[in-house]
Amino acid sequence: MIREKISKVNLNAPSIILIATLWVVFILNITFAKNIFNDYPDLWSNFVFYFQIFLFIAGLFVFELMLLATVMSLRLAVSVSILTASLASYFMNSYSIIFDAVMIRNLFETNTAEASDLMTLGLMLNVFLTGILPILFLWLMPFKANGLWHSIKFRVTAVFVALLLILSSVVIDSAKMTSFAREHRNIHVYANPIYPFYSTFRYAQEVWPFKEELYYHEITEITEEIGRAHV
């Protein structure tokens, strides 16, 4: 009977984004929220500011989702984002780890032995409850797919909505948000999974010039070899 009721519920792109955004903002941003409440402890006087932060983080998350959705399906983009946020949330909550570019580099350079030391029962339980279960729900529920044109139109609309959320969060009280941006940079790094993805992008930028330089030298050597062969 429960299975029959579930089968009648069809997920579509807007509902997936809404559910994922609420899950990430309210469940996987505990450390970020704790830091906000510590620096802005007066609940009543800062209620509007809390709402601004919610709009801002939600907008950034939707925008990040749409960027990922340009190279993969929407459900896969949501799955990657939730799993990343689940892992990051555990280490932020348990060890106050900041996922900056240096930490991302360390993750890529971690060997199997070091990685196995991090696989604790707490980590696996947290990832299962906050990451794997939502992803299973996402993939097991019936999904209403749309055509290419409708998908493109939806993605453009979603980007517009994301930018509108970000802009609205600033316009409501620009002075408060400006102060938060300038004076509370220590909190920004806990925005999950926005900051980990941003740090990954920065790490990629650091690595990519090296690759470009390597390719340049390889091409130069090949060109010189060809030149010598024709002499």
Side-chain angles (χ1 to χ4, degrees), residues 219-231:
I219 293 172
T220 302
E221 290 177 2
I222 293 172
T223 305
E224 291 175 354
E225 289 290 337
I226 293 174
R228 284 194 292 267
H230 286 279
V231 173

Side-chain angles (χ1 to χ4, degrees), residues 154-167:
F154 169 76
R155 281 164 169 74
V156 172
T157 304
V159 170
F160 175 77
V161 172
L163 295 177
L164 185 62
L165 289 173
I166 296 171
L167 180 62

Side-chain angles (χ1 to χ4, degrees), residues 93-119:
N93 297 339
S94 301
Y95 307 108
S96 298
I97 290 178
I98 297 173
F99 287 89
D100 55 10
V102 175
M103 178 56 66
I104 299 299
R105 178 185 293 276
N106 292 337
L107 288 176
F108 280 105
E109 295 176 354
T110 300
N111 56 40
T112 306
E114 292 172 337
S116 61
D117 293 337
L118 300 174
M119 298 299 293

Side-chain angles (χ1 to χ4, degrees), residues 104-195:
I104 299 299
R105 178 185 293 276
N106 292 337
L107 288 176
F108 280 105
E109 295 176 354
T110 300
N111 56 40
T112 306
E114 292 172 337
S116 61
D117 293 337
L118 300 174
M119 298 299 293
T120 62
L121 179 61
L123 171 62
M124 291 186 288
L125 183 60
N126 179 85
V127 171
F128 177 76
L129 293 176
T130 65
I132 303 299
L133 280 183
I135 292 173
L136 287 176
F137 170 81
L138 173 64
W139 287 93
L140 292 177
M141 292 289 289
F143 177 69
K144 183 180 180 182
N146 296 303
L148 178 61
W149 169 246
H150 188 277
S151 297
I152 294 174
K153 186 169 64 173
F154 169 76
R155 281 164 169 74
V156 172
T157 304
V159 170
F160 175 77
V161 172
L163 295 177
L164 185 62
L165 289 173
I166 296 171
L167 180 62
S168 299
S169 69
V170 176
V171 170
I172 291 174
D173 190 343
S174 58
K176 195 93 170 183
M177 287 297 288
T178 302
S179 173
F180 173 72
R182 291 178 177 176
E183 301 175 12
H184 298 270
R185 296 179 184 272
N186 59 310
I187 302 179
H188 304 173
V189 296
Y190 292 108
N192 189 25
I194 295 110
Y195 196 77

